Amino acid sequence: MKALITGASSGIGKEIARYLAELGYDLILVSRSTDKLNKLKEELSNVNVRVITLDFSRESDSLDLYEHIDFLVNNAGFGAYGKFLDVPLERELELIHTNVSTVHILTKLFLKDMAERNSGYILNVGSAAGFLAGPTFASYYASKNYVVRLTQAIHEEMRRDNKNVKV
């Protein structure tokens, strides 16, 4: 079995990689930090690990990841702190491409194959922020709300269609 993990160079993504390696998954690790990914690859010597360096703030990079996998972990993301009027639009668009567009694109592409096979797992990493709204982090809250609600909707569709795909 093979898992793709975005945002795998640190934090939650790195820990998920370690856990899935313990379960015997071959891994495709993706982030902007090649050095950190290669260090993690050395640590996870019990499974096959492929390292891919991409920047999800560029929307086209997510399309380059498409291949057959059994487990997708959409973990890549970041926040842009500051008052909504003060945060540069370009930074917010990078956030939207990373936190929303990439999650949407990868979920859509991989879910289609998983539904046809009637097996697979997708973990879209959200945040407590996905259930809230708050000042000085407006775009981050909104992006995580998108992730939470999209995931809930897809989960319900898979359940109603009796698909053995866990979202």
Side-chain angles (χ1 to χ4, degrees):
M1 304 224 335
K2 190 187 311 183
L4 183 142
I5 305 167
T6 66
S9 62
S10 64
I12 293 170
K14 186 175 184 178
E15 293 306 316
I16 290 172
R18 287 175 172 151
Y19 178 73
L20 292 178
E22 285 179 20
L23 295 177
Y25 279 85
D26 290 333
L27 302 173
I28 301 170
L29 306 178
V30 185
S31 86
R32 293 178 292 183
S33 177
T34 306
D35 292 341
K36 288 180 180 179
L37 289 177
N38 283 329
K39 186 175 178 181
L40 181 58
K41 179 180 179 176
E42 289 175 20
E43 177 187 327
L44 304 175
S45 58
N46 61 315
V47 295
N48 294 318
V49 177
R50 181 173 162 207
V51 167
I52 299 175
T53 305
L54 290 176
D55 181 354
F56 289 121
S57 67
R58 296 185 307 254
E59 190 172 349
S60 61
D61 281 4
S62 57
L63 294 171
D64 294 337
L65 283 178
Y66 184 65
E67 65 178 80
H68 174 84
I69 60 164
D70 303 292
F71 201 134
L72 169 63
V73 179
N74 275 318
N75 179 65
F78 71 92
Y81 181 79
K83 291 182 180 178
F84 184 75
L85 291 176
D86 296 338
V87 176
L89 179 60
E90 183 174 295
R91 186 67 174 154
E92 289 179 311
L93 291 175
E94 290 172 352
L95 178 148
I96 291 166
H97 290 313
T98 303
N99 296 12
V100 175
S101 296
T102 294
V103 170
H104 187 100
I105 290 166
L106 293 178
T107 299
K108 174 79 90 173
L109 292 174
F110 289 110
L111 183 64
K112 190 168 234 163
D113 285 348
M114 290 175 180
E116 287 177 15
R117 287 193 321 265
N118 200 31
S119 70
Y121 301 90
I122 296 178
L123 173 62
N124 290 333
V125 177
S127 167
F131 298 96
L132 306 167
T136 65
F137 229 33
S139 297
Y140 179 78
Y141 279 98
S143 72
K144 290 304 179 176
N145 186 281
Y146 183 90
V147 171
V148 168
R149 299 304 179 203
L150 176 71
T151 304
Q152 288 174 329
I154 294 168
H155 169 79
E156 184 61 18
E157 288 177 10
M158 293 295 104
R159 188 191 68 75
R160 287 182 180 185
D161 290 346
N162 293 313
K163 294 290 185 182
N164 193 30
V165 180
K166 306 301 180 217
V167 181

